[in-house]
Amino acid sequence: MDKRDLSGVFRERLKLLLQRSDRNQSEFAAAVGIDRSALSQLLSGTSTRLPRAETLLNIATENQVSLDWLLGLSQDEGLTGEIRESLEIEEGSNDRNHTLLARWHAEAAGTKIRYVPAGIPDLLRTQALIDYEADISNRSREKQSDETQYRIEYNRRPETDMEVCMPRHTLDIFARGLGVWSGLAEHDRRAQLAHMAELLDDLYPTFRLFLYDGRLRYSVPYTIFGPFRAAIYVGDMYLVLNATDPIRTLTRHFDNLIRAAEVNAHETAAYVRRLAQADFSAKSLIDAI
């Protein structure tokens, strides 16, 4: 791992331990055997230098985590001297309070999250769309509603930094009531788009949605949780990548989707609002807008 990446992961995990400890910086510093100014320097990111070995051991011991986790060599806090497998398969849970996604989002707080959704992003859905999709997928609408509300609350946190990139044609198809959304009433689709535009304005810039041409680019749904892990969505399961190199590869793929975007984040709310108001009866969607 590059020295700058190593120090960056250490800094983020040190911040997480400080938040968990319920101590102020002076108390935390004293507990691990350094002064407050030294702790502030470690948290600031002004240097790529790591603390000496004794301090690292004190931090790990005092907070009951492994050195491997503290230095970003493992994603499991309790593992010592062992690197976690780079690929896992995890099954999703229907209980929002225990979902893997909720835990992964919490662990990645303060880092950038990159997200390619399978459809309309969860936090942008109306109750009508949640109910419709829950019915056709045989999932609990209550739990889906809870998940949507959790995502909204998460994205209102000041430390949140989330980029989302999806095919423009997904919204075009939705607006016209085609494909999986053919059974959703037109007024519900228009209300969904208006709600989506309002939230995009409200959450910007901590939540930024880009639209690319799905005819020229393709991507499976996935989420990258900062430098920690990437989860590729495959139905009710996730292929979870923990190793640095595949996470970087997916990050480059995501960045290429951003570069290819036809509608940039500051333009997306207006684009969606036009979809909500468009008349599809006489022209194709592209001509109409």
Side-chain angles (χ1 to χ4, degrees):
M1 182 181 292
D2 183 270
K3 185 177 181 181
R4 288 169 297 182
D5 294 331
L6 185 64
S7 64
V9 173
F10 166 75
R11 184 168 61 254
E12 294 303 324
R13 295 192 170 177
L14 182 61
K15 289 178 181 178
L16 180 60
L17 294 178
L18 177 60
Q19 291 170 2
R20 287 181 185 172
S21 71
D22 292 326
R23 296 168 169 167
N24 60 35
Q25 289 194 17
S26 295
E27 293 168 338
F28 186 92
V32 299
I34 58 177
D35 58 37
R36 187 180 184 282
S37 62
L39 177 61
S40 296
Q41 186 175 16
L42 291 175
L43 293 169
S44 69
T46 54
S47 171
T48 59
R49 292 183 62 184
L50 292 170
R52 55 199 179 105
E54 180 184 354
T55 300
L56 288 171
L57 285 169
N58 287 344
I59 294 171
T61 301
E62 179 66 25
N63 293 278
Q64 298 183 330
V65 297
S66 71
L67 274 176
D68 285 352
W69 178 84
L70 186 61
L71 295 174
L73 301 177
S74 168
Q75 303 302 334
D76 284 330
E77 297 180 23
L79 285 178
T80 303
E82 181 179 346
I83 304 298
R84 191 175 184 179
E85 292 183 5
S86 62
L87 174 65
E88 302 172 288
I89 297 178
E90 299 277 11
E91 293 189 50
S93 166
N94 285 326
D95 184 349
R96 192 265 299 172
N97 291 320
H98 297 90
T99 59
L100 293 164
L101 285 176
R103 175 165 61 85
W104 294 339
H105 276 88
E107 290 175 356
T111 66
K112 180 181 286 188
I113 295 177
R114 298 167 172 90
Y115 173 37
V116 179
I120 305 298
D122 290 338
L123 80 163
L124 302 179
R125 297 182 299 168
T126 61
Q127 189 61 49
L129 180 58
I130 291 170
D131 291 344
Y132 175 80
E133 293 185 344
D135 286 342
I136 63 177
S137 63
N138 295 318
R139 293 183 179 180
S140 166
R141 64 184 62 191
E142 291 79 12
K143 289 172 181 175
Q144 293 295 305
S145 297
D146 287 348
E147 180 72 17
T148 293
Q149 187 57 44
Y150 170 79
R151 298 289 182 85
I152 291 175
E153 292 169 0
Y154 180 89
N155 277 275
R156 291 195 191 283
R157 299 177 186 175
E159 70 272 19
T160 299
D161 183 9
M162 182 177 290
E163 286 185 340
V164 184
C165 204
M166 63 183 290
R168 178 178 55 78
H169 75 266
T170 299
L171 293 179
D172 297 347
I173 290 170
F174 176 85
R176 299 171 74 175
L178 301 176
V180 69
W181 297 294
S182 60
L184 185 63
E186 180 180 346
H187 68 272
D188 286 332
R189 298 197 309 272
R190 292 187 185 276
Q192 166 63 58
L193 292 167
H195 171 78
M196 185 174 179
E198 182 178 348
L199 268 179
L200 287 171
D201 274 336
D202 183 27
L203 297 175
Y204 184 84
T206 57
F207 180 91
R208 303 179 298 282
L209 175 61
F210 298 80
L211 305 177
Y212 63 91
D213 189 338
R215 298 169 299 182
L216 303 178
R217 299 269 177 172
Y218 173 75
S219 178
V220 296
Y222 64 85
T223 306
I224 304 171
F225 299 91
F228 308 121
R229 64 173 53 80
I232 301 172
Y233 181 64
V234 284
D236 290 327
M237 296 187 300
Y238 301 94
L239 295 178
V240 186
L241 304 172
N242 299 293
T244 300
D245 286 345
I247 292 173
R248 286 178 175 170
T249 299
L250 271 181
T251 299
R252 286 194 296 270
H253 176 268
F254 186 90
D255 290 344
N256 286 333
L257 293 179
I258 294 286
R259 293 188 188 98
E262 295 185 327
V263 182
N264 289 311
H266 67 283
E267 305 167 318
T268 309
Y271 179 87
V272 174
R273 199 167 279 115
R274 291 198 299 273
L275 285 178
Q277 300 166 355
D279 178 9
F280 308 122
S281 59
K283 296 182 177 182
S284 70
L285 177 65
I286 303 302
D287 292 337
I289 59 173

